[in-house]
């Protein structure tokens, strides 16, 4: 197990950009694939983006493709989710999560989760 610490959430206006970060002190970070998910009240937890352990393979939900970019730096044990052109529909609690055996778009496949950070997009 490792602890995933998240930062970067907060209030944003439509059209603005924000970057969410996910970090750990555990050196095993490089051995894990990572996903970003979000959840708003009354909705199922939704896949946002994922990145392989090497950073080469990436996947995005259609709703964020072209607006969000996932990246990672294994030398710093960190991963970022850059969000551009934010919309009110992006309002949710955003979670990062990792798993050891490949990228998945299904939240149930991830067993190690950050605590989440709220992104609220409104005018």
């Amino acid at each position: 197990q490792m602890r995933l610490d998240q930062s970067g959430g907060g209030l944003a206006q439509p059209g603005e950009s924000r970057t969410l970060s996910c970090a750990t002190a555990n050196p095993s970070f490089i051995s894990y694939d990572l996903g970003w998910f979000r959840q708003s009240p009354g909705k199922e937890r939704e896949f946002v983006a994922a990145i392989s352990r090497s950073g080469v393979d990436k996947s995005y939900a259609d709703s964020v493709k072209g607006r969000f970019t996932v990246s990672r730096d294994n030398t710093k044990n960190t991963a970022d989710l850059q969000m551009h052109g934010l919309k009110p529909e992006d309002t949710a609690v955003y979670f990062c999560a990792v798993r050891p055996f490949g990228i998945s778009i299904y939240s149930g496949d991830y067993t190690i989760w950050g605590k989440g950070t709220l992104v609220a997009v409104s005018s």
Side-chain angles (χ1 to χ4, degrees), residues 10 16 27 34-35 41 44 57 70 86 92 94 103 110 115-116 118 120:
E16 289 189 339
L34 184 143
E44 297 287 326
D57 189 25
V70 63
L86 284 168
Y94 284 72
I103 286 179
Y110 292 81
K115 294 185 181 298
L118 176 65

Side-chain angles (χ1 to χ4, degrees), residues 97-114:
V98 298
R99 67 190 303 268
F101 301 117
I103 286 179
S104 174
I105 65 171
Y106 303 108
S107 63
D109 288 340
Y110 292 81
T111 56
I112 304 175
W113 291 80

Side-chain angles (χ1 to χ4, degrees), residues 1-122:
Q1 293 285 325
M2 67 176 68
R3 191 182 76 187
L4 302 176
D5 298 317
Q6 298 185 228
S7 62
L11 179 65
Q13 295 184 347
E16 289 189 339
S17 299
R18 290 288 189 277
T19 298
L20 305 182
S21 294
C22 179
T24 182
N26 195 321
S28 294
F29 180 76
I30 192 173
S31 299
Y32 288 82
D33 304 292
L34 184 143
W36 290 91
F37 297 83
R38 65 187 183 186
Q39 188 166 25
S40 58
K43 294 184 177 181
E44 297 287 326
R45 187 163 295 182
E46 176 188 19
F47 169 74
V48 177
I51 186 169
S52 64
R53 63 183 65 183
S54 68
V56 173
D57 189 25
K58 300 177 182 180
S59 183
Y60 297 94
D62 289 340
S63 59
V64 305
K65 192 173 299 181
R67 297 190 299 119
F68 291 12
T69 301
V70 63
S71 62
R72 66 189 295 164
D73 186 343
N74 290 331
T75 68
K76 299 179 179 180
N77 298 328
T78 61
D80 289 344
L81 181 68
Q82 295 184 34
M83 306 182 295
H84 300 288
L86 284 168
K87 304 175 181 179
E89 296 77 32
D90 295 319
T91 297
V93 176
Y94 284 72
F95 299 88
C96 64
V98 298
R99 67 190 303 268
F101 301 117
I103 286 179
S104 174
I105 65 171
Y106 303 108
S107 63
D109 288 340
Y110 292 81
T111 56
I112 304 175
W113 291 80
K115 294 185 181 298
T117 185
L118 176 65
V119 176
V121 185
S122 66

